[in-house]
mmCIF file of all heavy atoms in Angstrom:
data_model
loop_
_atom_site.group_PDB
_atom_site.id
_atom_site.type_symbol
_atom_site.label_atom_id
_atom_site.label_comp_id
_atom_site.label_asym_id
_atom_site.label_seq_id
_atom_site.Cartn_x
_atom_site.Cartn_y
_atom_site.Cartn_z
ATOM 1 N N ILE A 22 3.206 -18.366 7.815
ATOM 2 C CA ILE A 22 3.150 -16.981 7.309
ATOM 3 C C ILE A 22 2.314 -16.932 6.030
ATOM 4 O O ILE A 22 1.439 -16.068 5.889
ATOM 5 C CB ILE A 22 4.564 -16.438 7.068
ATOM 6 C CG1 ILE A 22 5.358 -16.383 8.371
ATOM 7 C CG2 ILE A 22 4.494 -15.034 6.396
ATOM 8 C CD1 ILE A 22 6.810 -16.016 8.211
ATOM 9 N N ALA A 23 2.552 -17.904 5.136
ATOM 10 C CA ALA A 23 1.781 -17.936 3.878
ATOM 11 C C ALA A 23 0.294 -17.971 4.157
ATOM 12 O O ALA A 23 -0.519 -17.351 3.443
ATOM 13 C CB ALA A 23 2.218 -19.115 3.046
ATOM 14 N N ALA A 24 -0.088 -18.689 5.236
ATOM 15 C CA ALA A 24 -1.506 -18.832 5.572
ATOM 16 C C ALA A 24 -2.139 -17.497 5.980
ATOM 17 O O ALA A 24 -3.362 -17.361 5.954
ATOM 18 C CB ALA A 24 -1.674 -19.851 6.693
ATOM 19 N N GLN A 25 -1.325 -16.540 6.370
ATOM 20 C CA GLN A 25 -1.846 -15.231 6.813
ATOM 21 C C GLN A 25 -2.065 -14.265 5.644
ATOM 22 O O GLN A 25 -2.695 -13.225 5.813
ATOM 23 C CB GLN A 25 -0.883 -14.575 7.795
ATOM 24 C CG GLN A 25 -0.702 -15.325 9.103
ATOM 25 C CD GLN A 25 0.271 -14.571 10.019
ATOM 26 O OE1 GLN A 25 0.056 -13.433 10.394
ATOM 27 N NE2 GLN A 25 1.381 -15.238 10.395
ATOM 28 N N LEU A 26 -1.510 -14.588 4.474
ATOM 29 C CA LEU A 26 -1.554 -13.624 3.361
ATOM 30 C C LEU A 26 -2.904 -13.681 2.632
ATOM 31 O O LEU A 26 -3.393 -14.733 2.316
ATOM 32 C CB LEU A 26 -0.435 -13.922 2.356
ATOM 33 C CG LEU A 26 0.996 -13.763 2.854
ATOM 34 C CD1 LEU A 26 1.987 -14.092 1.711
ATOM 35 C CD2 LEU A 26 1.266 -12.342 3.358
ATOM 36 N N LYS A 27 -3.431 -12.486 2.374
ATOM 37 C CA LYS A 27 -4.629 -12.384 1.554
ATOM 38 C C LYS A 27 -4.198 -11.725 0.256
ATOM 39 O O LYS A 27 -4.115 -10.490 0.162
ATOM 40 C CB LYS A 27 -5.730 -11.601 2.227
ATOM 41 C CG LYS A 27 -7.094 -11.827 1.631
ATOM 42 C CD LYS A 27 -8.177 -11.012 2.307
ATOM 43 C CE LYS A 27 -8.216 -9.573 1.825
ATOM 44 N NZ LYS A 27 -9.227 -8.743 2.520
ATOM 45 N N ARG A 28 -3.852 -12.530 -0.723
ATOM 46 C CA ARG A 28 -3.269 -12.042 -1.987
ATOM 47 C C ARG A 28 -4.352 -11.486 -2.929
ATOM 48 O O ARG A 28 -5.468 -11.991 -2.913
ATOM 49 C CB ARG A 28 -2.527 -13.192 -2.667
ATOM 50 C CG ARG A 28 -1.498 -13.873 -1.796
ATOM 51 C CD ARG A 28 -1.062 -15.203 -2.368
ATOM 52 N NE ARG A 28 -0.336 -16.008 -1.405
ATOM 53 C CZ ARG A 28 -0.898 -16.772 -0.457
ATOM 54 N NH1 ARG A 28 -2.219 -16.814 -0.340
ATOM 55 N NH2 ARG A 28 -0.152 -17.432 0.394
ATOM 56 N N ASP A 29 -3.964 -10.549 -3.781
ATOM 57 C CA ASP A 29 -4.886 -10.064 -4.813
ATOM 58 C C ASP A 29 -4.891 -11.055 -5.974
ATOM 59 O O ASP A 29 -4.282 -12.127 -5.879
ATOM 60 C CB ASP A 29 -4.542 -8.643 -5.268
ATOM 61 C CG ASP A 29 -3.232 -8.546 -6.038
ATOM 62 O OD1 ASP A 29 -2.684 -9.622 -6.425
ATOM 63 O OD2 ASP A 29 -2.748 -7.429 -6.266
ATOM 64 N N LEU A 33 -0.415 -10.980 -5.068
ATOM 65 C CA LEU A 33 0.431 -9.986 -4.449
ATOM 66 C C LEU A 33 -0.218 -9.328 -3.249
ATOM 67 O O LEU A 33 -1.459 -9.218 -3.157
ATOM 68 C CB LEU A 33 0.809 -8.902 -5.454
ATOM 69 C CG LEU A 33 1.460 -9.394 -6.744
ATOM 70 C CD1 LEU A 33 1.635 -8.218 -7.716
ATOM 71 C CD2 LEU A 33 2.824 -10.082 -6.437
ATOM 72 N N VAL A 34 0.604 -8.834 -2.335
ATOM 73 C CA VAL A 34 0.162 -7.944 -1.252
ATOM 74 C C VAL A 34 0.976 -6.651 -1.362
ATOM 75 O O VAL A 34 2.083 -6.634 -1.917
ATOM 76 C CB VAL A 34 0.344 -8.577 0.159
ATOM 77 C CG1 VAL A 34 -0.537 -9.826 0.311
ATOM 78 C CG2 VAL A 34 1.806 -8.920 0.412
ATOM 79 N N ALA A 35 0.415 -5.586 -0.833
ATOM 80 C CA ALA A 35 1.092 -4.274 -0.853
ATOM 81 C C ALA A 35 2.082 -4.217 0.281
ATOM 82 O O ALA A 35 1.786 -4.630 1.386
ATOM 83 C CB ALA A 35 0.059 -3.150 -0.713
ATOM 84 N N LEU A 57 8.404 -11.992 -0.280
ATOM 85 C CA LEU A 57 8.345 -11.839 1.170
ATOM 86 C C LEU A 57 9.380 -12.775 1.843
ATOM 87 O O LEU A 57 10.092 -12.359 2.771
ATOM 88 C CB LEU A 57 6.943 -12.095 1.711
ATOM 89 C CG LEU A 57 6.783 -12.087 3.216
ATOM 90 C CD1 LEU A 57 7.258 -10.779 3.829
ATOM 91 C CD2 LEU A 57 5.335 -12.383 3.613
ATOM 92 N N ILE A 94 2.593 -7.554 9.462
ATOM 93 C CA ILE A 94 1.440 -7.793 8.562
ATOM 94 C C ILE A 94 0.226 -7.116 9.150
ATOM 95 O O ILE A 94 0.145 -6.929 10.368
ATOM 96 C CB ILE A 94 1.236 -9.316 8.374
ATOM 97 C CG1 ILE A 94 0.247 -9.618 7.257
ATOM 98 C CG2 ILE A 94 0.799 -9.996 9.680
ATOM 99 C CD1 ILE A 94 0.256 -11.085 6.812
ATOM 100 N N ASP A 95 -0.735 -6.725 8.303
ATOM 101 C CA ASP A 95 -1.891 -6.036 8.846
ATOM 102 C C ASP A 95 -2.981 -7.016 9.241
ATOM 103 O O ASP A 95 -2.861 -8.231 9.029
ATOM 104 C CB ASP A 95 -2.395 -4.917 7.914
ATOM 105 C CG ASP A 95 -3.162 -5.427 6.739
ATOM 106 O OD1 ASP A 95 -3.157 -6.625 6.475
ATOM 107 O OD2 ASP A 95 -3.797 -4.571 6.073
ATOM 108 N N CYS A 96 -4.056 -6.479 9.810
ATOM 109 C CA CYS A 96 -5.107 -7.324 10.412
ATOM 110 C C CYS A 96 -5.778 -8.237 9.436
ATOM 111 O O CYS A 96 -6.257 -9.323 9.826
ATOM 112 C CB CYS A 96 -6.146 -6.427 11.098
ATOM 113 S SG CYS A 96 -6.851 -5.173 9.978
ATOM 114 N N ASP A 97 -5.876 -7.851 8.160
ATOM 115 C CA ASP A 97 -6.547 -8.718 7.197
ATOM 116 C C ASP A 97 -5.606 -9.357 6.187
ATOM 117 O O ASP A 97 -6.043 -10.021 5.233
ATOM 118 C CB ASP A 97 -7.733 -8.048 6.517
ATOM 119 C CG ASP A 97 -7.358 -6.849 5.671
ATOM 120 O OD1 ASP A 97 -6.153 -6.526 5.603
ATOM 121 O OD2 ASP A 97 -8.232 -6.279 5.048
ATOM 122 N N GLY A 98 -4.292 -9.154 6.383
ATOM 123 C CA GLY A 98 -3.306 -9.921 5.604
ATOM 124 C C GLY A 98 -3.047 -9.469 4.188
ATOM 125 O O GLY A 98 -2.390 -10.189 3.427
ATOM 126 N N ASP A 99 -3.554 -8.281 3.817
ATOM 127 C CA ASP A 99 -3.300 -7.830 2.449
ATOM 128 C C ASP A 99 -2.286 -6.691 2.344
ATOM 129 O O ASP A 99 -2.113 -6.155 1.246
ATOM 130 C CB ASP A 99 -4.623 -7.472 1.733
ATOM 131 C CG ASP A 99 -5.278 -6.214 2.288
ATOM 132 O OD1 ASP A 99 -4.805 -5.695 3.309
ATOM 133 O OD2 ASP A 99 -6.265 -5.750 1.709
ATOM 134 N N ALA A 100 -1.652 -6.394 3.465
ATOM 135 C CA ALA A 100 -0.615 -5.352 3.433
ATOM 136 C C ALA A 100 0.461 -5.675 4.460
ATOM 137 O O ALA A 100 0.218 -6.259 5.504
ATOM 138 C CB ALA A 100 -1.225 -3.977 3.738
ATOM 139 N N LEU A 101 1.673 -5.253 4.092
ATOM 140 C CA LEU A 101 2.846 -5.419 4.961
ATOM 141 C C LEU A 101 3.440 -4.050 5.270
ATOM 142 O O LEU A 101 3.392 -3.152 4.424
ATOM 143 C CB LEU A 101 3.917 -6.267 4.251
ATOM 144 C CG LEU A 101 3.480 -7.668 3.812
ATOM 145 C CD1 LEU A 101 4.525 -8.251 2.849
ATOM 146 C CD2 LEU A 101 3.295 -8.579 5.023
ATOM 147 N N ARG B 71 -12.935 -3.502 -0.883
ATOM 148 C CA ARG B 71 -12.841 -4.595 -1.825
ATOM 149 C C ARG B 71 -13.692 -5.760 -1.360
ATOM 150 O O ARG B 71 -14.215 -6.538 -2.163
ATOM 151 C CB ARG B 71 -11.387 -5.046 -2.002
ATOM 152 C CG ARG B 71 -10.488 -3.916 -2.523
ATOM 153 C CD ARG B 71 -9.142 -4.415 -3.004
ATOM 154 N NE ARG B 71 -8.373 -5.042 -1.931
ATOM 155 C CZ ARG B 71 -7.172 -5.574 -2.103
ATOM 156 N NH1 ARG B 71 -6.578 -5.524 -3.286
ATOM 157 N NH2 ARG B 71 -6.543 -6.095 -1.085
ATOM 158 N N CYS B 119 -3.509 -1.165 12.259
ATOM 159 C CA CYS B 119 -3.769 -2.492 11.699
ATOM 160 C C CYS B 119 -2.528 -3.366 11.680
ATOM 161 O O CYS B 119 -2.642 -4.605 11.598
ATOM 162 C CB CYS B 119 -4.330 -2.363 10.289
ATOM 163 S SG CYS B 119 -5.966 -1.577 10.249
ATOM 164 N N PHE B 120 -1.354 -2.760 11.756
ATOM 165 C CA PHE B 120 -0.107 -3.528 11.743
ATOM 166 C C PHE B 120 0.244 -4.018 13.163
ATOM 167 O O PHE B 120 0.872 -5.050 13.306
ATOM 168 C CB PHE B 120 1.028 -2.721 11.132
ATOM 169 C CG PHE B 120 0.777 -2.447 9.669
ATOM 170 C CD1 PHE B 120 0.275 -1.209 9.260
ATOM 171 C CD2 PHE B 120 0.985 -3.402 8.696
ATOM 172 C CE1 PHE B 120 0.012 -0.959 7.926
ATOM 173 C CE2 PHE B 120 0.723 -3.167 7.385
ATOM 174 C CZ PHE B 120 0.232 -1.922 6.966
ATOM 175 N N GLY B 123 -2.082 -7.055 13.315
ATOM 176 C CA GLY B 123 -1.592 -8.246 12.588
ATOM 177 C C GLY B 123 -0.334 -8.814 13.206
ATOM 178 O O GLY B 123 -0.151 -10.013 13.289
#
Side-chain angles (χ1 to χ4, degrees):
Chain A
I22 298 174
Q25 296 180 59
L26 295 180
K27 198 180 81 183
R28 306 164 193 82
D29 69 12
L33 304 174
V34 296
L57 175 56
I94 190 166
D95 78 347
C96 55
D97 64 359
D99 69 352
L101 302 167
Chain B
R71 301 194 298 180
C119 293
F120 295 99

